[in-house]
Every structure is written in C-alpha cells, then in structure tokens.
Amino acid sequence: DIQMTQSPSSLSASVGDRVTITCRASQGISNYLAWFQQKPGKAPKSLIYAASNLQSGVPSKFSGSGSGTDFTLTISSLQPEDFATYYCQQYNSYPLTFGGGTKVEIK
Amino acid sequence: EVQLVESGGGLVQPGGSLRLSCAASGFTLSDQYMDWVRQAPGKGLEWVGRIRNKANTYTTEYAASVKGRFTISRDDSKNSLYLQMNSLRTEDTAVYYCARASGTRYSSSWHWYFDYWGQGTLVTVSS
C-alpha cells in the first residue's frame, strides 16, 4: 500500500498568512494526487485533483504542485473560512489512501 | 446540481448487518465510478471501496479491512449506490460518505478522482 504522510499535522496561522502543507507518498504516484478540505461536522470538499488542477468553483487562492512523491498545497492568503483540516489522497493505485490530515487553526 | 444523499445509518450490534444507500441526482450515474469513504470519530478519512461504471462492467475494489464483509452495488436505473455491511465490528463505527469519482485520461490510462461527496451517515457498532 502507498503511505501518504502530511506535514505538519497542525499549524496556527493568522488571517492573511500564506500557508503551505506538504504531502509525501511512500512511492511515486506521478501526479495522481488530490486535496480535500473538511470543516468540523461537515463532509470533505474536493479542492484539487491531478496535483494542481482546481475543482470547479474552488477559489484561486488555493494552489497545488508536485509530482512523483512530493506535493504541496498552498493557500495564498488565509481567510476565516479556510480554517479547517486538509487531507491529501493518492489515486494512483489501490487501495486508495489518504494522508493523516493537517489542521489549520487560528493564531 | 450534483447531489449525493446517504441514508441507512444507525446503531447495530457487533456481528450484525446494515445496508447504506446513496441517492444520486444531477448527473448520469451510469457514467461514473462511485466510492464509499468512512471516518471514525475524531480520526482521518479511510477509503472503503469502489464500484466502476457500466462501461467497466460494475467491477469492485475494496480496502483490506472490509473485504469479504462489505459489498458495494449500484442500481443506475434508480440512481442509487449501496453498501451492504455484514459481520460488523466495533471498529467499523464511523461516518460513511459516498463520493463520486470522475475520470481523466492520461496517456493510455484513465484515473479517477473524487469530485463530489455526500453529507455522510453515521454507523455505530456497539452492544
């Protein structure tokens, strides 16, 4: 199975900050990497697929990059509605696997 | 508008069975792969399994933790996805989400990524 490791597991940031979350795959997954946002008590929301493609309706303050084993999700200017937990997920091979999540909290 | 609405969750004893449903609307279900993903209380997301579309003869994939106990099926004529859960264990307690997977073609192969999620339904396995 491909292990997905996210770092950090949590971070504190202020409104307006630029935030970067990293995700590392235990083996190469090309660009078959997605990112999701989840707020407490809510379903995940799809943000990015194929490492860098924004899902329809997702604001351009979110961006993704990477290929192979190392990936990043960047939020260019953190807003109050962005405080949430973020997950990466590989869809290169079965079983599909998720990272452990990064909780973004208000400083 | 794409909508996915799960139902069927509840309290069940260890060793029992439960069937979850996911009602889909706003798109042609037969074109899509569909998945179940779960989330134990306070934990991260765990993929449960997938059913491919009609063009791929509705074949399935499962996580090792549920293989042989859970079965995914679909009825495209009813715009519905199902998860039959048997031999339930306390560790199956979770919110279960259905998710739509859309495909993109890279080189000679297709890859399927989640784009829409349902709101989830809670399954509690406890005596």
Short mmCIF file of all heavy atoms in Angstrom, two decimals, chain A residues 35-86:
data_model
loop_
_atom_site.label_atom_id
_atom_site.label_comp_id
_atom_site.label_asym_id
_atom_site.label_seq_id
_atom_site.Cartn_x
_atom_site.Cartn_y
_atom_site.Cartn_z
N TRP A 35 -6.45 16.92 -3.16
CA TRP A 35 -6.52 17.61 -1.86
C TRP A 35 -7.98 17.89 -1.52
O TRP A 35 -8.78 18.24 -2.39
CB TRP A 35 -5.77 18.94 -1.91
CG TRP A 35 -4.28 18.83 -1.97
CD1 TRP A 35 -3.51 18.89 -3.10
CD2 TRP A 35 -3.38 18.67 -0.87
NE1 TRP A 35 -2.18 18.77 -2.76
CE2 TRP A 35 -2.07 18.64 -1.41
CE3 TRP A 35 -3.54 18.55 0.51
CZ2 TRP A 35 -0.93 18.50 -0.61
CZ3 TRP A 35 -2.42 18.40 1.30
CH2 TRP A 35 -1.13 18.38 0.75
N PHE A 36 -8.29 17.77 -0.21
CA PHE A 36 -9.64 17.99 0.29
C PHE A 36 -9.59 18.89 1.52
O PHE A 36 -8.62 18.86 2.28
CB PHE A 36 -10.31 16.66 0.66
CG PHE A 36 -10.29 15.67 -0.45
CD1 PHE A 36 -9.29 14.72 -0.53
CD2 PHE A 36 -11.26 15.70 -1.43
CE1 PHE A 36 -9.25 13.81 -1.57
CE2 PHE A 36 -11.23 14.79 -2.48
CZ PHE A 36 -10.22 13.85 -2.55
N GLN A 37 -10.67 19.63 1.71
CA GLN A 37 -10.86 20.47 2.89
C GLN A 37 -12.04 19.92 3.67
O GLN A 37 -13.07 19.59 3.08
CB GLN A 37 -11.16 21.91 2.46
CG GLN A 37 -11.47 22.87 3.59
CD GLN A 37 -12.09 24.17 3.06
OE1 GLN A 37 -13.19 24.19 2.53
NE2 GLN A 37 -11.35 25.27 3.20
N GLN A 38 -11.89 19.83 4.99
CA GLN A 38 -13.01 19.38 5.81
C GLN A 38 -13.16 20.27 7.03
O GLN A 38 -12.20 20.46 7.78
CB GLN A 38 -12.84 17.92 6.24
CG GLN A 38 -14.08 17.37 6.94
CD GLN A 38 -13.93 15.93 7.34
OE1 GLN A 38 -12.86 15.45 7.70
NE2 GLN A 38 -15.05 15.19 7.27
N LYS A 39 -14.36 20.77 7.22
CA LYS A 39 -14.68 21.56 8.41
C LYS A 39 -15.40 20.68 9.41
O LYS A 39 -16.01 19.67 9.02
CB LYS A 39 -15.51 22.78 8.01
CG LYS A 39 -14.74 23.72 7.08
CD LYS A 39 -15.54 24.93 6.68
CE LYS A 39 -14.69 25.81 5.75
NZ LYS A 39 -15.44 27.01 5.30
N PRO A 40 -15.33 21.01 10.70
CA PRO A 40 -15.92 20.15 11.73
C PRO A 40 -17.40 19.84 11.47
O PRO A 40 -18.19 20.74 11.20
CB PRO A 40 -15.74 20.98 13.00
CG PRO A 40 -14.55 21.82 12.73
CD PRO A 40 -14.64 22.17 11.27
N GLY A 41 -17.71 18.54 11.53
CA GLY A 41 -19.09 18.11 11.35
C GLY A 41 -19.59 18.12 9.93
O GLY A 41 -20.78 17.86 9.70
N LYS A 42 -18.71 18.42 9.00
CA LYS A 42 -19.11 18.52 7.59
C LYS A 42 -18.40 17.47 6.74
O LYS A 42 -17.40 16.89 7.14
CB LYS A 42 -18.79 19.90 7.03
CG LYS A 42 -19.49 21.03 7.76
CD LYS A 42 -20.98 20.98 7.59
CE LYS A 42 -21.67 22.19 8.19
NZ LYS A 42 -23.15 22.11 8.06
N ALA A 43 -18.94 17.24 5.54
CA ALA A 43 -18.31 16.33 4.59
C ALA A 43 -17.07 16.98 4.01
O ALA A 43 -16.95 18.22 3.95
CB ALA A 43 -19.28 15.99 3.47
N PRO A 44 -16.13 16.16 3.56
CA PRO A 44 -14.99 16.73 2.84
C PRO A 44 -15.45 17.46 1.59
O PRO A 44 -16.48 17.13 0.99
CB PRO A 44 -14.15 15.50 2.47
CG PRO A 44 -14.58 14.45 3.43
CD PRO A 44 -16.03 14.71 3.68
N LYS A 45 -14.65 18.45 1.21
CA LYS A 45 -14.89 19.19 -0.03
C LYS A 45 -13.65 19.02 -0.91
O LYS A 45 -12.52 19.17 -0.44
CB LYS A 45 -15.10 20.67 0.26
CG LYS A 45 -15.23 21.54 -0.98
CD LYS A 45 -15.31 23.02 -0.62
CE LYS A 45 -15.34 23.90 -1.88
NZ LYS A 45 -15.35 25.35 -1.54
N SER A 46 -13.88 18.67 -2.17
CA SER A 46 -12.76 18.48 -3.09
C SER A 46 -12.20 19.83 -3.52
O SER A 46 -12.95 20.69 -3.96
CB SER A 46 -13.22 17.67 -4.30
OG SER A 46 -13.67 16.40 -3.90
N LEU A 47 -10.89 19.98 -3.42
CA LEU A 47 -10.23 21.23 -3.80
C LEU A 47 -9.43 21.10 -5.10
O LEU A 47 -9.55 21.94 -6.00
CB LEU A 47 -9.26 21.68 -2.70
CG LEU A 47 -9.83 22.05 -1.34
CD1 LEU A 47 -8.68 22.40 -0.39
CD2 LEU A 47 -10.83 23.19 -1.45
N ILE A 48 -8.58 20.08 -5.14
CA ILE A 48 -7.61 19.95 -6.23
C ILE A 48 -7.51 18.50 -6.65
O ILE A 48 -7.60 17.59 -5.81
CB ILE A 48 -6.22 20.47 -5.75
CG1 ILE A 48 -6.23 22.00 -5.67
CG2 ILE A 48 -5.08 19.97 -6.63
CD1 ILE A 48 -5.01 22.60 -5.04
N TYR A 49 -7.34 18.27 -7.96
CA TYR A 49 -7.05 16.93 -8.48
C TYR A 49 -5.86 17.02 -9.42
O TYR A 49 -5.48 18.12 -9.86
CB TYR A 49 -8.27 16.33 -9.17
CG TYR A 49 -8.66 17.05 -10.45
CD1 TYR A 49 -8.26 16.57 -11.69
CD2 TYR A 49 -9.44 18.21 -10.41
CE1 TYR A 49 -8.62 17.22 -12.86
CE2 TYR A 49 -9.79 18.86 -11.58
CZ TYR A 49 -9.39 18.38 -12.80
OH TYR A 49 -9.73 19.02 -13.95
N ALA A 50 -5.28 15.89 -9.72
CA ALA A 50 -4.09 15.83 -10.57
C ALA A 50 -3.02 16.81 -10.10
O ALA A 50 -2.37 17.49 -10.90
CB ALA A 50 -4.46 16.08 -12.03
N ALA A 51 -2.88 16.88 -8.80
CA ALA A 51 -1.84 17.64 -8.11
C ALA A 51 -1.99 19.15 -8.18
O ALA A 51 -1.65 19.84 -7.20
CB ALA A 51 -0.44 17.25 -8.60
N SER A 52 -2.51 19.67 -9.30
CA SER A 52 -2.50 21.12 -9.45
C SER A 52 -3.75 21.71 -10.10
O SER A 52 -3.82 22.91 -10.32
CB SER A 52 -1.28 21.55 -10.29
OG SER A 52 -1.33 20.98 -11.57
N ASN A 53 -4.73 20.85 -10.40
CA ASN A 53 -5.94 21.33 -11.06
C ASN A 53 -7.04 21.65 -10.05
O ASN A 53 -7.43 20.78 -9.26
CB ASN A 53 -6.45 20.28 -12.05
CG ASN A 53 -5.53 20.11 -13.23
OD1 ASN A 53 -5.63 20.83 -14.21
ND2 ASN A 53 -4.61 19.18 -13.11
N LEU A 54 -7.54 22.88 -10.08
CA LEU A 54 -8.60 23.28 -9.17
C LEU A 54 -9.93 22.66 -9.59
O LEU A 54 -10.28 22.66 -10.77
CB LEU A 54 -8.76 24.80 -9.14
CG LEU A 54 -7.67 25.62 -8.46
CD1 LEU A 54 -8.01 27.10 -8.53
CD2 LEU A 54 -7.47 25.18 -7.03
N GLN A 55 -10.65 22.13 -8.59
CA GLN A 55 -12.01 21.68 -8.85
C GLN A 55 -12.86 22.90 -9.20
O GLN A 55 -12.55 24.03 -8.81
CB GLN A 55 -12.59 20.99 -7.62
CG GLN A 55 -11.95 19.67 -7.27
CD GLN A 55 -12.51 18.49 -8.05
OE1 GLN A 55 -13.40 18.65 -8.92
NE2 GLN A 55 -12.03 17.29 -7.76
N SER A 56 -13.93 22.67 -9.91
CA SER A 56 -14.84 23.75 -10.30
C SER A 56 -15.33 24.50 -9.06
O SER A 56 -15.75 23.90 -8.07
CB SER A 56 -16.04 23.16 -11.05
OG SER A 56 -16.98 24.15 -11.35
N GLY A 57 -15.24 25.82 -9.13
CA GLY A 57 -15.76 26.66 -8.05
C GLY A 57 -14.78 26.92 -6.92
O GLY A 57 -15.09 27.71 -6.01
N VAL A 58 -13.63 26.29 -6.94
CA VAL A 58 -12.64 26.50 -5.87
C VAL A 58 -11.85 27.77 -6.17
O VAL A 58 -11.34 27.94 -7.28
CB VAL A 58 -11.70 25.28 -5.76
CG1 VAL A 58 -10.56 25.56 -4.78
CG2 VAL A 58 -12.49 24.05 -5.34
N PRO A 59 -11.73 28.66 -5.19
CA PRO A 59 -11.04 29.94 -5.46
C PRO A 59 -9.56 29.76 -5.74
O PRO A 59 -8.92 28.82 -5.24
CB PRO A 59 -11.27 30.74 -4.18
CG PRO A 59 -11.65 29.75 -3.14
CD PRO A 59 -12.29 28.61 -3.83
N SER A 60 -9.03 30.70 -6.50
CA SER A 60 -7.64 30.59 -6.98
C SER A 60 -6.61 30.85 -5.88
O SER A 60 -5.41 30.71 -6.12
CB SER A 60 -7.41 31.56 -8.14
OG SER A 60 -7.68 32.89 -7.73
N LYS A 61 -7.05 31.19 -4.66
CA LYS A 61 -6.09 31.31 -3.56
C LYS A 61 -5.51 29.95 -3.19
O LYS A 61 -4.47 29.87 -2.54
CB LYS A 61 -6.73 31.96 -2.35
CG LYS A 61 -7.88 31.18 -1.75
CD LYS A 61 -8.47 31.91 -0.56
CE LYS A 61 -9.74 31.23 -0.10
NZ LYS A 61 -10.36 31.97 1.04
N PHE A 62 -6.20 28.88 -3.60
CA PHE A 62 -5.68 27.53 -3.39
C PHE A 62 -4.85 27.13 -4.61
O PHE A 62 -5.28 27.34 -5.75
CB PHE A 62 -6.82 26.52 -3.20
CG PHE A 62 -7.59 26.69 -1.93
CD1 PHE A 62 -8.79 27.39 -1.92
CD2 PHE A 62 -7.12 26.15 -0.75
CE1 PHE A 62 -9.51 27.56 -0.76
CE2 PHE A 62 -7.83 26.31 0.43
CZ PHE A 62 -9.03 27.02 0.43
N SER A 63 -3.70 26.55 -4.36
CA SER A 63 -2.89 26.03 -5.46
C SER A 63 -2.16 24.78 -5.00
O SER A 63 -1.88 24.61 -3.80
CB SER A 63 -1.89 27.07 -5.97
OG SER A 63 -0.98 27.42 -4.96
N GLY A 64 -1.89 23.90 -5.95
CA GLY A 64 -1.18 22.67 -5.64
C GLY A 64 -0.04 22.46 -6.62
O GLY A 64 -0.09 22.95 -7.75
N SER A 65 0.97 21.77 -6.14
CA SER A 65 2.10 21.47 -7.01
C SER A 65 2.72 20.15 -6.60
O SER A 65 2.41 19.60 -5.54
CB SER A 65 3.14 22.60 -6.94
OG SER A 65 3.70 22.67 -5.64
N GLY A 66 3.61 19.67 -7.47
CA GLY A 66 4.35 18.46 -7.16
C GLY A 66 4.11 17.35 -8.15
O GLY A 66 3.17 17.38 -8.95
N SER A 67 4.98 16.37 -8.06
CA SER A 67 4.87 15.18 -8.91
C SER A 67 5.80 14.12 -8.33
O SER A 67 6.80 14.46 -7.68
CB SER A 67 5.27 15.51 -10.35
OG SER A 67 5.09 14.38 -11.19
N GLY A 68 5.45 12.87 -8.57
CA GLY A 68 6.30 11.80 -8.05
C GLY A 68 5.95 11.45 -6.62
O GLY A 68 4.98 10.74 -6.38
N THR A 69 6.73 11.95 -5.67
CA THR A 69 6.48 11.63 -4.27
C THR A 69 6.21 12.85 -3.39
O THR A 69 5.73 12.69 -2.26
CB THR A 69 7.67 10.86 -3.65
OG1 THR A 69 8.83 11.68 -3.73
CG2 THR A 69 7.90 9.53 -4.35
N ASP A 70 6.51 14.04 -3.85
CA ASP A 70 6.41 15.23 -3.00
C ASP A 70 5.44 16.25 -3.59
O ASP A 70 5.57 16.65 -4.76
CB ASP A 70 7.78 15.86 -2.81
CG ASP A 70 8.72 14.95 -2.02
OD1 ASP A 70 8.29 14.44 -0.97
OD2 ASP A 70 9.85 14.74 -2.47
N PHE A 71 4.51 16.68 -2.74
CA PHE A 71 3.42 17.56 -3.17
C PHE A 71 3.18 18.65 -2.12
O PHE A 71 3.49 18.47 -0.94
CB PHE A 71 2.13 16.76 -3.36
CG PHE A 71 2.28 15.63 -4.35
CD1 PHE A 71 2.74 14.39 -3.94
CD2 PHE A 71 1.96 15.82 -5.68
CE1 PHE A 71 2.90 13.35 -4.85
CE2 PHE A 71 2.11 14.80 -6.60
CZ PHE A 71 2.58 13.56 -6.19
N THR A 72 2.66 19.77 -2.58
CA THR A 72 2.31 20.85 -1.66
C THR A 72 0.95 21.44 -2.00
O THR A 72 0.54 21.47 -3.17
CB THR A 72 3.35 21.99 -1.67
OG1 THR A 72 3.41 22.54 -2.99
CG2 THR A 72 4.71 21.50 -1.26
N LEU A 73 0.25 21.88 -0.96
CA LEU A 73 -0.96 22.67 -1.09
C LEU A 73 -0.64 24.03 -0.47
O LEU A 73 -0.15 24.09 0.66
CB LEU A 73 -2.12 22.02 -0.34
CG LEU A 73 -3.40 22.86 -0.23
CD1 LEU A 73 -4.07 23.00 -1.59
CD2 LEU A 73 -4.37 22.25 0.78
N THR A 74 -0.92 25.09 -1.19
CA THR A 74 -0.66 26.43 -0.70
C THR A 74 -1.95 27.23 -0.70
O THR A 74 -2.73 27.18 -1.66
CB THR A 74 0.39 27.16 -1.57
OG1 THR A 74 1.62 26.42 -1.53
CG2 THR A 74 0.64 28.56 -1.07
N ILE A 75 -2.17 27.94 0.40
CA ILE A 75 -3.26 28.91 0.48
C ILE A 75 -2.59 30.27 0.52
O ILE A 75 -1.81 30.56 1.44
CB ILE A 75 -4.13 28.69 1.74
CG1 ILE A 75 -4.56 27.22 1.83
CG2 ILE A 75 -5.35 29.60 1.70
CD1 ILE A 75 -5.24 26.86 3.14
N SER A 76 -2.87 31.10 -0.47
CA SER A 76 -2.06 32.31 -0.66
C SER A 76 -2.32 33.37 0.41
O SER A 76 -1.39 34.07 0.82
CB SER A 76 -2.31 32.90 -2.04
OG SER A 76 -3.69 33.25 -2.19
N SER A 77 -3.56 33.50 0.85
CA SER A 77 -3.90 34.50 1.86
C SER A 77 -5.04 33.93 2.68
O SER A 77 -6.20 33.94 2.25
CB SER A 77 -4.30 35.82 1.20
OG SER A 77 -4.69 36.77 2.19
N LEU A 78 -4.69 33.44 3.85
CA LEU A 78 -5.64 32.70 4.68
C LEU A 78 -6.80 33.58 5.12
O LEU A 78 -6.59 34.72 5.59
CB LEU A 78 -4.91 32.13 5.89
CG LEU A 78 -5.49 30.92 6.58
CD1 LEU A 78 -5.52 29.71 5.65
CD2 LEU A 78 -4.68 30.62 7.83
N GLN A 79 -8.00 33.09 4.92
CA GLN A 79 -9.21 33.79 5.35
C GLN A 79 -9.93 32.98 6.42
O GLN A 79 -9.68 31.79 6.59
CB GLN A 79 -10.13 34.04 4.15
CG GLN A 79 -9.52 34.94 3.09
CD GLN A 79 -9.12 36.29 3.64
OE1 GLN A 79 -9.94 37.01 4.23
NE2 GLN A 79 -7.85 36.66 3.46
N PRO A 80 -10.83 33.61 7.18
CA PRO A 80 -11.50 32.89 8.28
C PRO A 80 -12.18 31.60 7.83
O PRO A 80 -12.17 30.62 8.58
CB PRO A 80 -12.53 33.91 8.77
CG PRO A 80 -11.92 35.24 8.46
CD PRO A 80 -11.19 35.04 7.15
N GLU A 81 -12.71 31.57 6.62
CA GLU A 81 -13.40 30.37 6.15
C GLU A 81 -12.44 29.24 5.77
O GLU A 81 -12.89 28.12 5.47
CB GLU A 81 -14.30 30.71 4.95
CG GLU A 81 -13.58 31.19 3.72
CD GLU A 81 -13.41 32.70 3.68
OE1 GLU A 81 -13.50 33.35 4.75
OE2 GLU A 81 -13.20 33.21 2.56
N ASP A 82 -11.15 29.50 5.78
CA ASP A 82 -10.16 28.49 5.39
C ASP A 82 -9.66 27.68 6.57
O ASP A 82 -8.90 26.71 6.38
CB ASP A 82 -8.95 29.16 4.72
CG ASP A 82 -9.34 29.95 3.49
OD1 ASP A 82 -10.32 29.56 2.81
OD2 ASP A 82 -8.69 30.97 3.22
N PHE A 83 -10.06 28.05 7.77
CA PHE A 83 -9.63 27.28 8.94
C PHE A 83 -10.40 25.96 8.95
O PHE A 83 -11.63 25.93 9.04
CB PHE A 83 -9.81 28.08 10.22
CG PHE A 83 -8.86 29.25 10.29
CD1 PHE A 83 -9.24 30.50 9.85
CD2 PHE A 83 -7.56 29.06 10.75
CE1 PHE A 83 -8.36 31.58 9.89
CE2 PHE A 83 -6.67 30.13 10.79
CZ PHE A 83 -7.07 31.38 10.36
N ALA A 84 -9.64 24.88 8.80
CA ALA A 84 -10.23 23.56 8.55
C ALA A 84 -9.11 22.53 8.61
O ALA A 84 -7.95 22.87 8.87
CB ALA A 84 -10.89 23.53 7.17
N THR A 85 -9.47 21.27 8.36
CA THR A 85 -8.47 20.20 8.22
C THR A 85 -8.36 19.86 6.74
O THR A 85 -9.37 19.76 6.03
CB THR A 85 -8.87 18.97 9.04
OG1 THR A 85 -8.95 19.34 10.42
CG2 THR A 85 -7.84 17.87 8.88
N TYR A 86 -7.12 19.69 6.29
CA TYR A 86 -6.84 19.40 4.89
C TYR A 86 -6.22 18.02 4.76
O TYR A 86 -5.35 17.65 5.54
CB TYR A 86 -5.91 20.48 4.30
CG TYR A 86 -6.59 21.83 4.25
CD1 TYR A 86 -6.61 22.67 5.36
CD2 TYR A 86 -7.24 22.25 3.10
CE1 TYR A 86 -7.25 23.90 5.32
CE2 TYR A 86 -7.89 23.48 3.05
CZ TYR A 86 -7.91 24.29 4.17
OH TYR A 86 -8.55 25.50 4.13
#
